[in-house]
Amino acid sequence: RSSDLFVWRLSMENGKIQDEVWMHIKRPDSTPLNNFRRIIWCPYIPEENEESSIDEGNQTLALLHEDRAEVWDLDIVRNSYSSWPLEVTNVKEGFRSEE
C-alpha cells in the first residue's frame, strides 16, 4: 500500500544482506495518494558539551505530506507497540503531527 509507512532493518549475515520489517504503520484505505510525500531521516547529533556514544540517541524520522509533517520517534514506537502492522490511528506514543 502506497500510503503505509514501512521501516526495514538491514543486517549482514554470512555475507548476505538480510532484511526484516521493523515497523509497519497502516493508513486508512481512504488515504489519498500524494506526490509530495517525503521521508527525512533525522539523526541525533549531540551538543558539543554533551557526552554520547555513536550508538546512543534517537532514531527519528519526519514524514512530510503536502499539508503537514509527522515526526516519528522509532525507538518509542518500537518500545510501546509490538504487533505489526499498526493502524496509525492507534499510535499514541512516539508520534506527532504538525501542520
Side-chain angles (χ1 to χ4, degrees):
R1 296 179 25 149
S2 61
S3 59
D4 288 2
L5 173 63
F6 287 89
V7 177
W8 283 271
R9 173 169 276 178
L10 303 176
S11 61
M12 182 70 77
E13 293 181 24
N14 299 324
K16 294 185 179 181
I17 296 175
Q18 304 296 315
D19 66 278
E20 70 172 302
V21 175
W22 198 62
M23 191 172 89
H24 177 189
I25 305 298
K26 285 183 71 174
R27 304 237 177 235
D29 289 334
S30 61
T31 302
L33 294 177
N34 182 332
N35 291 331
F36 299 101
R37 197 169 286 134
R38 302 287 183 262
I39 290 181
I40 299 172
W41 189 260
C42 308
Y44 174 75
I45 301 173
E47 297 291 326
E48 286 183 30
N49 59 352
E50 191 176 346
E51 290 186 29
S52 176
S53 77
I54 195 149
D55 294 332
E56 291 181 15
N58 290 356
Q59 297 185 54
T60 304
L61 62 86
L63 177 56
L64 306 179
H65 301 269
E66 187 173 12
D67 59 345
R68 71 186 185 288
E70 297 173 358
V71 179
W72 292 88
D73 185 317
L74 304 182
D75 291 329
I76 291 175
V77 174
R78 285 282 302 178
N79 289 329
S80 299
Y81 307 97
S82 60
S83 180
W84 312 108
L86 179 63
E87 299 285 339
V88 70
T89 54
N90 294 332
V91 179
K92 307 297 183 217
E93 301 288 328
F95 162 78
R96 78 172 184 260
S97 182
E98 301 289 334
E99 291 190 27

